[in-house]
Amino acid sequence: MAKRILTMQDLSCVGQCSLTVALPILSAYGVEAAVLPTAVLSNHTMFSGWSYLDLTPEIQNIYSFWQKNNLKFSGFLLGYLGKKPLMELAENCFDNFAEEGAQIIIDPAFGDNGKLYGGFDGEYVAAMRHFIRRADVILPNLTEVCFLTGLEYREKYDEEYIERALGELQKYTSGTVIITGVELNGKIGEAIRSGGKTEYVFAELLPKRLHGTGDIFAAVFAAEYLKGATLAESCSAAGNFVADCIKNTPDGHFYGACFEDVLYSKLKK
Ligand code: PXL
């Protein structure tokens, strides 16, 4: 049966992140995408200012109509939420609208490069630490792992440090832990801890870091995984797609990765 995934994150009108990335990618990868927009922003928060319309008060109302229409989802992709109460609302959503066996994929999406994104604090991190117990798969980067577990953040590290990071995070979730953006031996990839075993998947490491690549990764990963690819295959597809997006992004394009042409060329194949 066709998969219908609900993705819950903000709608930044401009910025190649969250819903503007998840929707086209999920659809192009053959998954029906339903959305629960948590807020509407003029642009994402890496620009120098933004408007923010909080949609939290509307969510129960949306749920009441989903209930009446008996809607269910075969998977959930959680990205940038931005406010603590949204985690509780997300849990209500899992409880009421999950099909049997639905997969919950959580990207904590609160920081990068050793720092929290603007507007986040320790309380938000603590709430996320509690929330991730519901995940079947969690997709943090190393910054997020360190904030969630108290592990010291390092720019340079080895496999032993990553093993420690995986083990620390497993204290908070029984789901699969996938640390994204792991740089080892001149490559970039994911460390996947599932069923007590660790597996690494690598892609090309490019000399450029762009905003929103975590959101692109999560969308491709979720689509592939829901359609039956293994964890490693899903990471590999997502990592290679992100590498192509980075290559396709002209210098000077500062606010996101240009994924559109990469998607278009896939459609033409
Ligand atoms: O890509 C993560 C993200 C999503 N949504 C908003 C953001 C960010 C990162 O800063 O600001 C609004």
Side-chain angles (χ1 to χ4, degrees):
M1 215 173 75
K3 299 289 183 187
R4 182 198 287 141
I5 189 163
L6 176 68
T7 182
M8 179 174 181
Q9 40 192 328
D10 69 277
L11 176 57
S12 287
C13 301
V14 179
Q16 289 164 314
C17 72
S18 26
L19 286 182
T20 57
V21 160
L23 260 182
I25 292 180
L26 290 169
S27 303
Y29 273 78
V31 175
E32 180 186 340
V35 298
L36 187 52
T38 53
V40 178
L41 287 81
S42 53
N43 42 264
H44 66 51
T45 64
M46 303 304 258
F47 287 86
S48 59
W50 57 90
S51 69
Y52 190 102
L53 173 67
D54 184 6
L55 297 180
T56 310
E58 184 60 15
I59 289 182
Q60 287 292 2
N61 197 23
I62 291 173
Y63 287 170
S64 69
F65 285 89
W66 286 355
Q67 204 102 49
K68 284 195 184 107
N69 288 300
N70 197 24
L71 289 168
K72 298 277 182 210
F73 303 100
S74 35
F76 299 87
L77 173 61
L78 283 284
Y80 183 103
L81 295 178
K83 292 215 152 76
K84 271 194 331 177
L86 289 166
M87 295 184 218
E88 212 171 297
L89 284 163
E91 291 203 35
N92 295 160
C93 188
F94 308 150
D95 295 338
N96 290 296
F97 303 110
E99 262 172 16
E100 180 84 23
Q103 291 289 305
I104 299 173
I105 300 168
I106 299 180
D107 176 357
F110 61 69
D112 207 357
N113 302 313
K115 296 201 193 78
L116 295 175
Y117 295 142
F120 289 94
D121 58 16
E123 264 185 55
Y124 187 87
V125 174
M128 183 59 72
R129 195 176 291 128
H130 181 66
F131 180 52
I132 60 174
R133 76 191 190 293
R134 297 294 304 265
D136 292 294
V137 181
I138 169 168
L139 300 172
N141 58 36
L142 261 181
T143 298
E144 290 155 350
V145 174
C146 290
F147 277 102
L148 288 168
T149 64
L151 185 73
E152 65 165 317
Y153 178 75
R154 290 194 198 156
E155 294 278 340
K156 296 247 174 307
Y157 43 79
D158 54 15
E159 218 171 286
E160 190 261 317
Y161 173 81
I162 298 299
E163 284 295 322
R164 200 140 43 89
L166 290 165
E168 287 297 315
L169 204 50
Q170 283 188 303
K171 294 181 183 163
Y172 303 99
T173 178
S174 56
T176 294
V177 171
I178 300 181
I179 304 181
T180 60
V182 171
E183 292 182 29
L184 284 173
N185 307 320
K187 297 207 159 243
I188 187 160
E190 288 70 50
I192 307 169
R193 173 71 66 86
S194 171
K197 279 201 313 218
T198 309
E199 193 177 359
Y200 288 88
V201 171
F202 289 105
E204 189 179 353
L205 174 62
L206 295 154
K208 193 151 75 166
R209 280 180 165 252
L210 290 168
H211 200 62
T213 49
D215 300 354
I216 295 174
F217 181 91
V220 177
F221 173 87
E224 292 280 12
Y225 189 55
L226 238 79
K227 292 191 84 169
T230 64
L231 292 163
E233 286 164 350
S234 307
C235 283
S236 178
N240 289 324
F241 186 86
V242 167
D244 287 346
C245 295
I246 296 173
K247 284 184 200 160
N248 188 60
T249 304
D251 289 340
H253 183 90
F254 73 96
Y255 59 80
C258 297
F259 65 94
E260 298 83 0
D261 270 341
V262 182
L263 208 48
Y264 182 57
S265 55
K266 274 191 171 298
L267 294 177
K268 280 197 299 188
K269 272 188 194 147

